[in-house]
């Protein structure tokens, strides 16, 4: 009889031990926060460092810890695809990391749900940090309802990448700063060579592309009050421009012709005259077998360029807000971090100090790196509306119908207008 | 004394069930109950939670997107179920005969079942590739210009059905093989003495006596196919134009992409009820058949 009981006790103790493992860990963190003199440990959760820049991040963390000996930063890295699912689960489970990365597209959603700490007063008190050190557009991107909820750390944008060899072969002039849609179409038509699977130009037919193309035509998908206003002439022209390249003039490959290949691969393979893609491809295109360069995007009635940013936000639940903010500010504005980013061709820091950016501009290819900065003059942000991912999904779905010829572009916009209204009234 | 023994038995039952029970409660029991509770709230996953009664369920009935995903799932089942049943049975009949390399063939047919859906989906995606895929190449050899398969809303679901059937036929085959081996050979001996043809034997002996297995296979396949997700997610992502969005994918989107955990939980409970309903109907039907 006794034996059995001891067995049971053993079992129960074992189970408690298993459960205990997790709770003792979080208990440890609390302890370190209590002591004023002792070290504060914070957790930084990141997607942009993995898999290629983990070493750079640990250099950055080392530099930060040297400057702030009483703060210890534990980094946790997850690849972008799984990052947000994990982050949501951790926040929902009351176990949010103290400071974490958010890209601009997701920022609004997290800020509006009250998961982020307001940093406005901390920034005002901070003597080492001055917002002027940063590109103002990028800095302000992390504001929500007039308050600063995040610190921008890096930015990128989308440019017109073109294959000089294909342009020469077709006898077309290279893109210039004041190129228009018509110029691009004319060049693309000359470059397209259907027999050899060469197309003049490629841009995705998705929501992410559409809000920019609409802006290039003076259109807007939402009015100033954030109400859907997609069904109008300017937006229709923009959509027709995108769809006709595939269905009418055939200067862009259809989804079937793409056959699951990435546009970047087609470009590297010499099958695309122009590809509209992000400056994060500089490195991947470095060893292309042909000459290439970048240019500002063509506009119709005006210029418009994509703008993507990553930033650091502090969890609303953390009891180590100050330490977390310090690290966020360091990642955002420290010149040391900026230097490390530029040296290692990580994402571009959002700082304004040109001395530090100089090495970035001097690297080639592409020759015309200055375009990266010139594009900032005409940047357009994704519409800041609730339920952005749902709106994108439904838009992409409808665009596929237009590409397949199942629906006219007029009908697509009519459907989208009512869908947006439904989604936003939910 | 008797009750003492019973108590002891019960005690030991608990001891031995405990490890499994703990796992079940933590990872299945508690989540099931919480999802029911969540389905009556407006929880957005990140913020606070407040009850909103049956609002989620009302919204669901009126949500065209939900019905599209429901229709697509039914379309999938209508195509998939007969395919796996017929070909699973055919393979089982073939491999139930005495032949060379029987074990090898059985293993080969079963191989796709234990392969991960991610790997299978990626391979099929390439097979279906309109430009470079093997399928359209073979079609072009015999002079047919193949469809764009997964890129065409009219053929995308067919593509998913064929790949799913290919993967699951081995599983169905093994179940049928088990059923076939339970049929006593005496029936066949008697039938051949009476001069019944092979086809006649199949129709009058094999199929009726396999009925319990067929019932089991149908329920299992039906339940599995209501939960179809992996292959759709990887092969088409619900596209093109929403033509292959299925129920589980719709639930996933609402839960983890649109921050609508409450609504997603309501949808999963409806999915549960649908599966439960079908199982119940078939149970009823089976009872009658057995009587």
């Amino acid at each position: 009889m006794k034996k059995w009981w001891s067995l049971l006790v053993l079992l129960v103790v074992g189970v408690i031990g298993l459960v205990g493992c997790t709770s003792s860990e979080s208990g440890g963190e609390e302890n370190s926060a209590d002591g004023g003199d002792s070290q504060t440990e914070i957790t930084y959760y990141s997607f942009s460092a993995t898999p290629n820049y983990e070493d750079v991040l640990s250099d950055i963390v080392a530099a930060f810890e040297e400057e702030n000996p009483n703060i210890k930063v534990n980094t946790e890295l997850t690849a972008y695809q799984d990052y947000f699912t994990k982050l949501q689960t951790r926040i929902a489970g009351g176990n949010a990391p103290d400071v974490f990365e958010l890209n601009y597209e997701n920022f609004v959603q997290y800020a509006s749900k009250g998961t982020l700490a307001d940093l406005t007063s901390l920034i005002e008190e901070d003597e080492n940090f001055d917002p002027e050190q940063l590109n103002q557009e990028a800095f302000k991107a992390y504001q929500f309802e007039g308050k600063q909820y995040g610190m921008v750390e890096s930015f990128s944008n989308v440019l017109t990448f073109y294959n000089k060899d294909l342009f020469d072969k077709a006898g077309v002039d290279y893109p210039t700063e004041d190129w228009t849609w018509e110029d691009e179409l004319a060049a693309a038509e000359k470059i397209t060579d259907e027999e050899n699977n060469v197309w003049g130009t490629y841009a995705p037919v998705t929501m992410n592309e559409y809000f920019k193309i609409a802006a290039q035509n003076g259109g807007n998908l939402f009015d100033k009050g954030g109400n859907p206003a997609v069904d109008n002439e300017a937006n229709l022209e923009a959509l027709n421009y995108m769809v006709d390249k595939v269905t009418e003039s055939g200067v862009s490959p259809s989804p079937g012709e793409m056959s699951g290949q990435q546009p970047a691969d087609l470009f590297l393979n010499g099958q695309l005259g122009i590809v509209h893609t992000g400056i994060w491809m500089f490195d991947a295109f470095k060893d292309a077998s042909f000459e290439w360069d970048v240019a500002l995007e063509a506009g119709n009635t005006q210029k418009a360029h994509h703008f993507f940013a990553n930033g650091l936000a502090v969890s609303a639940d953390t009891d180590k807000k100050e330490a977390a903010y310090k690290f966020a500010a360091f990642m955002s504005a420290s010149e040391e971090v900026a230097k490390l980013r530029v040296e290692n061709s990580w994402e571009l820091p959002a700082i304004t100090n040109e001395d530090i950016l100089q090495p970035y501009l001097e690297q080639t290819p592409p020759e015309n790196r200055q375009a990266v900065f010139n594009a900032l003059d005409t940047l357009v942000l994704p519409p800041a509306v609730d339920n952005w991912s749902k709106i994108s999904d439904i838009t992409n779905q409808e665009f596929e119908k237009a590409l397949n010829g199942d629906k006219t572009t007029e009908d697509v916009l009519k459907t989208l207008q009512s869908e947006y209204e439904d989604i936003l009234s939910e | 004394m008797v009750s003492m023994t019973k108590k002891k038995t019960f005690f030991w039952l608990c001891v031995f069930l405990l490890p499994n029970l703990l796992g079940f409660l933590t990872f299945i029991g508690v989540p099931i109950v919480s999802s029911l509770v969540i389905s009556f709230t407006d929880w957005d996953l990140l913020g606070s939670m407040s009850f909103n009664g049956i609002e989620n369920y009302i919204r669901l009935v009126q949500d065209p997107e939900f019905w599209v995903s429901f229709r697509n799932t039914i379309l999938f089942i209508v195509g998939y179920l007969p395919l796996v049943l017929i070909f699973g049975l055919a393979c089982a009949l073939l491999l139930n005969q005495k032949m060379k390399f029987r074990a090898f063939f059985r293993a080969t047919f079963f191989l796709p079942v234990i392969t991960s859906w991610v790997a299978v989906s990626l391979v099929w995606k390439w097979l279906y590739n309109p430009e470079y895929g093997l399928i359209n190449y073979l079609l072009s050899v015999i002079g047919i210009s193949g469809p764009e398969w997964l890129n065409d809303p009219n053929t995308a679901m067919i593509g998913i059905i064929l790949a799913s059937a290919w993967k699951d036929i081995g599983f169905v085959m093994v179940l049928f093989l088990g059923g076939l081996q339970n049929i006593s050979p005496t029936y066949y001996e008697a039938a051949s003495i009476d001069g019944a043809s092979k086809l006649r034997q199949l129709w009058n002996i094999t199929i009726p006596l396999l009925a319990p297995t067929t019932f089991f296979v149908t329920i299992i396949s039906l339940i599995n196919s209501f939960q179809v997700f992996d292959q759709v997610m990887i092969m088409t992502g619900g596209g093109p134009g929403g033509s292959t969005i299925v129920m589980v994918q719709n639930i996933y989107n609402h839960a983890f992409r649109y921050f609508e955990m409450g609504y997603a939980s309501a949808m999963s409970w409806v999915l549960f009820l649908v599966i439960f309903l079908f199982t119940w109907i078939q149970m009823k039907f089976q009872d009658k058949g057995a009587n």
Side-chain angles (χ1 to χ4, degrees):
Chain A
M1 195 69 175
K2 251 186 181 174
K3 249 192 200 165
W4 306 340
W5 279 111
S6 54
L7 242 167
L8 185 68
V9 167
L10 205 76
L11 202 91
V12 170
V13 167
V15 170
I16 291 174
L18 274 176
V19 177
C21 278
T22 45
S23 56
S24 70
E25 209 175 289
S26 55
E29 276 174 38
E30 276 160 30
N31 287 339
S32 62
D34 293 340
D37 307 322
S38 68
Q39 239 189 2
T40 308
E41 257 186 65
I42 57 169
T43 311
Y44 171 51
Y45 188 47
S46 153
F47 59 81
S48 70
T50 190
N52 296 325
Y53 301 100
E54 290 175 17
D55 296 341
V56 188
L57 181 62
S58 49
D59 287 350
I60 290 175
V61 167
F64 175 76
E65 286 174 348
E66 201 172 307
E67 232 173 75
N68 301 277
N70 58 345
I71 302 175
K72 186 175 179 329
V73 181
N74 298 316
T75 54
E76 276 179 43
L77 310 174
T78 301
Y80 184 78
Q81 297 94 291
D82 301 321
Y83 180 85
F84 287 99
T85 317
K86 276 197 184 172
L87 183 62
Q88 284 159 19
T89 319
R90 290 189 61 162
I91 294 176
N95 190 24
D98 302 303
V99 50
F100 47 89
E101 246 177 348
L102 283 178
N103 53 354
Y104 173 72
E105 288 88 327
N106 281 296
F107 164 73
V108 179
Q109 205 132 30
Y110 281 78
S112 69
K113 296 200 188 303
T115 56
L116 309 180
D118 178 7
L119 305 176
T120 318
S121 58
L122 285 170
I123 291 172
E124 277 164 16
E125 289 161 18
D126 189 347
E127 286 163 9
N128 300 319
F129 174 74
D130 175 7
E132 292 298 317
Q133 290 166 278
L134 297 174
N135 176 304
Q136 285 304 295
E137 298 286 353
F139 177 70
K140 284 180 188 150
Y142 282 87
Q143 288 176 353
F144 178 75
E145 290 178 348
K147 288 172 181 160
Q148 195 76 30
Y149 283 99
M151 303 290 284
V152 67
E153 56 166 338
S154 67
F155 76 92
S156 51
N157 46 32
V158 166
L159 293 171
T160 298
F161 288 63
Y162 61 99
N163 180 330
K164 283 186 173 175
D165 292 7
L166 282 178
F167 270 74
D168 292 342
K169 212 174 122 194
V172 194
D173 290 336
Y174 298 148
T176 60
E177 284 201 3
D178 30 48
W179 245 31
T180 61
W181 289 356
E182 268 173 51
D183 297 323
E184 180 168 339
L185 272 183
E189 262 165 34
K190 283 190 189 144
I191 292 167
T192 303
D193 175 2
E194 265 176 53
E195 268 173 40
N196 293 314
N197 282 338
V198 172
W199 294 275
T201 180
Y202 175 83
V205 184
T206 57
M207 182 52 149
N208 265 330
E209 186 70 13
Y210 184 50
F211 73 79
K212 176 191 72 182
I213 299 288
Q216 289 176 350
N217 199 32
N220 240 324
L221 311 186
F222 297 88
D223 65 19
K224 289 218 170 71
N227 303 308
V230 68
D231 189 14
N232 63 40
E233 200 51 41
N235 292 336
L236 179 64
E237 244 177 66
L239 182 57
N240 283 336
Y241 172 68
M242 288 164 69
V243 172
D244 287 351
K245 284 192 283 189
V246 180
T247 57
E248 299 292 324
S249 56
V251 296
S252 294
S254 71
E257 286 165 329
M258 296 280 292
S259 282
Q261 298 168 97
Q262 294 301 312
D265 295 332
L266 287 179
F267 183 72
L268 266 181
N269 213 15
Q271 288 178 274
L272 288 177
I274 293 171
V275 64
H276 297 271
T277 188
I279 57 172
W280 53 84
M281 296 307 292
F282 282 176
D283 215 41
F285 292 162
K286 189 174 59 186
D287 300 318
S289 58
F290 49 84
E291 294 284 310
W292 60 276
D293 205 349
V294 292
L296 289 181
E297 301 260 86
N300 198 34
T301 61
Q302 63 185 49
K303 290 258 166 201
H305 287 87
H306 272 126
F307 173 79
F308 300 103
N310 288 333
L312 273 74
V314 174
S315 161
D317 298 331
T318 181
D319 45 6
K320 288 159 267 183
K321 198 171 143 189
E322 271 138 55
Y325 161 74
K326 256 191 183 158
F327 183 68
F330 184 79
M331 286 293 280
S332 175
S334 152
E335 300 199 334
E336 216 167 337
V337 175
K339 262 185 210 155
L340 280 167
R341 283 182 187 279
V342 171
E343 270 168 30
N344 293 286
S345 356
W346 198 0
E347 285 153 13
L348 206 51
I351 58 163
T352 45
N353 186 335
E354 282 179 12
D355 294 342
I356 289 172
L357 296 173
Q358 202 52 39
Y360 178 83
L361 289 171
E362 280 162 8
Q363 289 168 41
T364 55
E367 300 282 328
N368 187 18
R369 275 195 189 225
Q370 188 57 43
V372 173
F373 297 95
N374 294 348
L376 292 179
D377 299 337
T378 50
L379 62 85
V380 46
L381 293 170
V385 288
D386 273 348
N387 275 319
W388 175 243
S389 35
K390 198 171 183 182
I391 284 175
S392 298
D393 280 3
I394 192 84
T395 311
N396 297 345
Q397 224 178 78
E398 290 297 313
F399 284 0
E400 280 172 2
K401 290 181 187 164
L403 280 182
N404 282 317
D406 287 351
K407 237 178 177 175
T408 63
T409 45
E410 286 90 350
D411 288 344
V412 163
L413 288 190
K414 283 202 177 72
T415 311
L416 287 181
Q417 176 69 24
S418 70
E419 288 281 355
Y420 292 174
E421 282 165 7
D422 283 354
I423 292 172
L424 291 180
S425 67
E426 260 164 25
Chain B
M1 210 50 210
V2 176
S3 78
M4 189 62 186
T5 336
K6 263 194 179 167
K7 257 188 191 166
K8 252 193 222 166
T9 323
F10 183 71
F11 167 74
W12 277 111
L13 207 67
C14 290
V15 170
F16 283 112
L17 279 179
L18 192 62
N20 206 339
L21 210 61
L22 271 177
F24 171 80
L25 285 177
T26 321
F27 296 109
I28 299 175
V30 173
I32 285 180
V33 176
S34 357
S35 82
L36 183 61
V37 176
I38 291 170
S39 77
F40 295 106
T41 70
D42 63 354
W43 194 34
D44 62 7
L45 198 63
L46 299 175
S48 59
M49 185 191 293
S50 65
F51 283 94
N52 62 359
I54 55 165
E55 210 174 277
N56 287 329
Y57 291 90
I58 294 171
R59 177 180 157 196
L60 187 148
V61 176
Q62 298 162 342
D63 183 0
E65 203 188 345
F66 173 78
W67 291 108
V68 167
S69 73
F70 185 76
R71 192 202 60 197
N72 286 342
T73 310
I74 297 292
L75 273 178
F76 173 81
I77 294 172
V78 168
Y80 164 85
L81 210 55
L83 269 184
V84 284
L85 285 177
I86 292 169
F87 283 95
L89 179 60
C91 290
L93 288 170
L94 272 175
L95 295 177
N96 197 34
Q97 289 164 4
K98 288 206 166 60
M99 56 188 286
K100 269 188 184 167
F101 305 118
R102 190 167 71 168
F104 169 76
F105 280 119
R106 282 182 183 176
T108 313
F109 277 77
F110 196 70
L111 211 55
V113 180
I114 52 165
T115 314
S116 120
W117 249 127
V118 178
V120 170
S121 305
L122 287 173
V123 170
W124 275 91
K125 216 175 149 180
W126 275 108
L127 290 175
Y128 282 132
N129 190 309
E131 295 274 313
Y132 309 101
L134 186 65
I135 294 177
N136 275 6
Y137 170 74
L138 291 176
L139 286 175
S140 74
V141 168
I142 54 168
I144 299 174
S145 139
E148 288 201 350
W149 293 111
L150 303 177
N151 289 315
D152 181 340
N154 299 314
T155 50
M157 188 52 95
I158 300 175
I160 288 172
I161 288 170
L162 290 179
S164 309
W166 174 83
K167 188 176 188 301
D168 293 342
I169 278 173
F171 175 67
V172 174
M173 175 195 79
V174 166
L175 293 177
F176 274 129
L177 271 175
L180 285 175
Q181 277 153 20
N182 273 338
I183 301 177
S184 161
T186 50
Y187 294 114
Y188 294 105
E189 279 164 27
S192 12
I193 290 168
D194 286 347
S197 69
K198 282 276 178 199
L199 205 66
R200 188 95 208 152
Q201 290 179 18
L202 174 71
W203 196 250
N204 284 6
I205 299 172
T206 315
I207 290 183
L209 287 175
L210 266 184
T213 316
T214 316
F215 166 69
F216 176 71
V217 171
T218 313
I219 286 196
I220 290 285
S221 305
L222 195 72
I223 291 175
N224 284 339
S225 47
F226 263 111
Q227 300 174 52
V228 54
F229 174 62
D230 310 33
Q231 59 268 54
V232 178
M233 191 73 175
I234 297 167
M235 286 167 70
T236 64
S243 59
T244 55
I245 282 190
V246 288
M247 289 175 85
V248 179
Q249 193 186 12
N250 200 25
I251 293 171
Y252 170 83
N253 281 346
H254 281 276
F256 295 107
R257 288 175 52 77
Y258 309 154
F259 298 90
E260 295 175 323
M261 200 44 113
Y263 186 45
S265 300
M267 285 198 283
S268 28
W269 271 87
V270 170
L271 175 62
F272 166 74
L273 288 178
V274 170
I275 292 175
F276 188 79
L277 180 80
F278 274 88
T279 315
W280 182 77
I281 290 174
Q282 294 205 29
M283 286 285 215
K284 274 280 180 207
F285 182 76
Q286 174 73 3
D287 281 349
K288 271 188 195 153
N291 292 340

